[in-house]
Amino acid sequence: MDNLLALLEGFQVALNPEFLLYAFLGVLIGTAVGVLPGIGPAMTVALLLPLTYTLEPTAALITFAGIYYGGMYGGSTTSILLNTPGESASIVTALEGNKMAKIGRGAAALATAALGSFVAGTIATIGLTLLAPVLAAWAVNLAPADYVALIVVAFVTVGALLGSSVWRGLVSLGIGLFIGLIGTEVLTGQARYTFGLLPLADGIDVVLVAVGVFAVGETLYVASRLRRGPVALIPVTRGWRSWMSRDDWRRSWRPWLRGTAIGFPIGTIPAGGADVATFLSYATEKKLSKHKNEFGRGAIEGVAGPESANNAAAAGVLVPLLTLGLPTTATAAIILSAFQSYGIQPGPQLFQNQPALVWSLIASLYIGNVLLLVLNLPLVGIWVKLLQIPRPYLYAGILTFAVLGAFAVNFALTDIVILLLIGVLGFFLRRYGYPIAPLVVGLILGPMGEAQLRRSLQLNQGDLTTLFTRPFAATCYVALILLIAVGLWLRRRQSRMERALEAALAADTSVSAAVNRMWEPGDRPTDITTSQLVIPPEPDEPVRRGRWRSRRSDDEEG
């Protein structure tokens, strides 16, 4: 009952016109960056981190949360219309949704993605509301050794389960830990890993690293991959007033619920992130569907389930972030750094020390979901226009804002040099398949883990056994083994599914090519416009080239 009253007070704050405006701006920017290929919520939040120097905490965090949710919504548009998933969690959406768009059902694919995201986001936020206070109340009694165990679990699982391979993830994690240790050691006052450079004595600011690896590194990487020219955009041939047919609704509502049930629990634990949840949802829908022959050719269940799982996992990620201070994704790690820039440490004490902030943040998630539904369904045409922005202008703007944001940290030119060096590092990491998320998590959690380790050893006179003998710590290490085993099994299953999909698509290439040759320019269903009204031929009228004749051509001939 107390939590419900606290949530109502959070709504009272979040519905304040000022914070409502920040929530709207957040979801608006998040949807826009989600639509644009190669620009995700992690990059956008990193670019906007300098806002923490001017905005109050509630306004900034509501904006970042709106960007986080909006990016998940907007990513489906790019996947469906461009066949260009911005991240691994959108691969399945691109597979089925793009096939639906090619056969003239792009509007239905976008509608089921938006509605599924709304349903999953709302249910998962309810789960966050119910679960987070209970978990925070329980975690208040954790000792420093228990926190060390939790941070080790986060290190190993994020490093091992994110990215294309285990060792690449661990290497990225090690780089992040190294960057986090640069600066002056707290207890002894000795400089470490500064190479004698005075600007490094205070360490490297998280803003510089986040903006460097995401904004600069990702921009260089995406620009290098798109140098061959623009990607063909499939138009939406049906108006949004028609949205989904009754059969589409019947085939979508169960996948929405199943995707939510799969995505939220996986999001709350470090077991591989939203991409594992989407592939599990896809496999589940393929197994349970009565239209198995449509999978790989545009099954609406293959869009509804994974998109719901993706958004439910995004809400689940906020559970360990707010209650334990543990980020399991790159975006969550950057949001954690935004908390820290205000001197606020997410964790068990957050609900006691900052109740107005945390409950207004949770309330803003409900409001953001409604705003996103309004923005995504009727205004899809506006978002599609964003895809026509010339890539050189887009990336030049991103780099400009990145440099300005880095300069605003300390107003020092050395920060710009550090930003560019880290950006080049981020480019090469992405170029050779090293994930970025472990680097950011290691950078942020590394100093926290060091502080908790020192505190634990001081309390126990340097006895290392206390790190493993406490009941909760021992449970964490056992759970770590189980998480690694389950996570690797899920990744192996995901890899098998990806190979099977690739084989199916390769076998279907000749058939697709043959179908493509059957149509002439202007004849394919996706090329037909609303001005081309067609009617079936009369019984005694011959059919020419297998096409219906239009009433307009008959009138002109008459």
Side-chain angles (χ1 to χ4, degrees):
M1 190 65 180
D2 294 337
N3 293 334
L4 179 60
L5 293 177
L7 179 62
L8 292 177
E9 293 177 357
F11 271 106
Q12 184 177 2
V13 174
L15 289 174
N16 183 290
E18 178 186 0
F19 296 130
L20 197 60
L21 177 61
Y22 283 118
F24 176 77
L25 290 176
V27 298
L28 183 69
I29 296 172
T31 304
V33 301
V35 168
L36 292 171
I39 304 176
M43 179 193 294
T44 307
V45 175
L47 280 172
L48 296 180
L49 272 179
L51 288 178
T52 57
Y53 298 108
T54 56
L55 292 179
E56 62 173 308
T58 303
L61 293 173
I62 285 177
T63 304
F64 292 156
I67 292 172
Y68 186 32
Y69 267 31
M72 298 300 173
Y73 269 74
S76 61
T77 303
T78 304
S79 299
I80 292 170
L81 299 183
L82 275 181
N83 197 25
T84 306
E87 53 187 357
S88 56
S90 302
I91 291 176
V92 177
T93 303
L95 175 67
E96 298 294 341
N98 188 254
K99 292 294 180 66
M100 291 182 65
K102 286 182 177 179
I103 61 176
R105 304 199 65 231
L110 291 168
T112 192
L115 292 170
S117 298
F118 171 76
V119 171
T122 302
I123 295 176
T125 306
I126 294 174
L128 169 66
T129 305
L130 298 176
L131 180 60
V134 177
L135 185 58
W138 166 80
V140 169
N141 299 319
L142 295 180
D146 300 328
Y147 274 104
V148 173
L150 282 174
I151 292 175
V152 170
V153 169
F155 281 160
V156 178
T157 52
V158 171
L161 300 179
L162 293 182
S164 57
S165 68
V166 174
W167 74 270
R168 283 192 175 94
L170 294 178
V171 168
S172 178
L173 175 67
I175 295 174
L177 289 173
F178 173 75
I179 297 176
L181 294 176
I182 294 176
T184 303
E185 205 274 326
V186 178
L187 293 181
T188 64
Q190 296 295 319
R192 57 184 181 185
Y193 308 121
T194 60
F195 306 102
L197 300 176
L198 186 61
L200 298 180
D202 293 331
I204 299 179
D205 197 285
V206 175
V207 174
L208 296 179
V209 178
V211 175
V213 295
F214 285 107
V216 180
E218 289 283 329
T219 298
L220 295 176
Y221 175 75
V222 175
S224 67
R225 292 176 61 87
L226 292 180
R227 60 181 180 271
R228 297 182 178 179
V231 183
L233 175 67
I234 300 176
V236 179
T237 57
R238 293 178 58 188
W240 279 94
R241 294 174 182 173
S242 58
W243 290 352
M244 298 167 62
S245 65
R246 181 176 299 178
D247 184 63
D248 291 333
W249 280 92
R250 181 181 57 81
R251 293 175 58 179
S252 294
W253 71 270
R254 289 186 181 90
W256 293 340
L257 299 179
R258 285 193 291 260
T260 305
I262 292 172
F264 182 72
I266 291 180
T268 58
I269 60 175
D275 55 337
V276 171
T278 56
F279 273 92
L280 279 179
S281 175
Y282 183 80
T284 302
E285 297 308 322
K286 187 174 182 180
K287 184 177 181 180
L288 298 178
S289 176
K290 298 179 182 179
H291 307 84
K292 294 182 175 61
N293 60 320
E294 294 186 17
F295 277 79
R297 295 176 174 83
I300 194 170
E301 296 93 340
V303 178
E307 273 299 305
S308 301
N310 185 15
N311 284 268
V317 164
L318 297 178
V319 175
L321 175 65
L322 297 178
T323 59
L324 300 174
L326 296 178
T328 56
T329 65
T331 309
I334 299 174
I335 293 177
L336 175 61
S337 69
F339 273 100
Q340 293 174 341
S341 67
Y342 288 109
I344 301 172
Q345 178 57 50
Q349 301 293 335
L350 182 64
F351 284 80
Q352 296 180 5
N353 299 335
Q354 301 285 341
L357 171 65
V358 68
W359 285 111
S360 60
L361 176 62
I362 293 175
S364 72
L365 298 178
Y366 290 97
I367 298 171
N369 262 317
V370 177
L371 293 175
L372 283 166
L373 189 65
V374 174
L375 287 174
N376 276 266
L377 283 178
L379 303 179
V380 66
I382 297 177
W383 303 123
V384 171
K385 294 292 184 182
L386 292 177
L387 297 171
Q388 300 175 2
I389 297 177
R391 295 293 178 265
Y393 298 153
L394 178 63
Y395 298 139
I398 292 173
L399 291 176
T400 301
F401 280 110
V403 172
L404 291 176
F407 184 73
V409 174
N410 298 309
F411 296 99
L413 293 177
T414 54
D415 288 343
I416 298 178
V417 177
I418 295 173
L419 172 77
L420 297 178
L421 292 176
I422 294 176
V424 173
L425 171 65
F427 166 75
F428 282 107
L429 289 176
R430 291 285 283 116
R431 171 65 179 80
Y432 293 103
Y434 290 85
I436 301 298
L439 185 151
V440 180
V441 171
L443 167 69
I444 295 174
L445 290 187
M448 294 172 54
E450 181 187 16
Q452 294 292 348
L453 178 61
R454 288 181 181 276
R455 189 176 305 168
S456 177
L457 294 178
Q458 288 173 349
L459 292 175
N460 297 281
Q461 290 79 42
D463 185 7
L464 291 175
T465 59
T466 57
L467 298 175
F468 309 97
T469 55
R470 284 187 57 86
F472 180 78
T475 303
C476 282
Y477 293 121
V478 173
L480 173 62
I481 298 174
L482 295 177
L483 284 173
I484 291 294
V486 172
L488 293 178
W489 176 77
L490 291 175
R491 290 290 299 274
R492 190 177 299 110
R493 183 176 178 183
Q494 175 182 338
S495 299
R496 287 200 302 266
M497 189 184 305
E498 288 175 349
R499 289 194 297 268
L501 290 174
E502 290 175 359
L505 291 174
D508 195 46
T509 301
S510 59
V511 178
S512 300
V515 172
N516 289 336
R517 287 193 294 269
M518 292 174 60
W519 302 95
E520 293 182 1
D523 294 340
R524 183 184 295 275
T526 53
D527 296 332
I528 297 175
T529 62
T530 54
S531 62
Q532 295 174 288
L533 302 177
V534 297
I535 60 172
E538 295 297 329
D540 57 346
E541 182 181 10
V543 179
R544 296 184 299 176
R545 301 180 59 84
R547 291 176 287 169
W548 291 348
R549 299 182 61 192
S550 66
R551 176 73 69 183
R552 171 187 258 176
S553 62
D554 291 340
D555 294 340
E556 291 175 353
E557 290 175 4

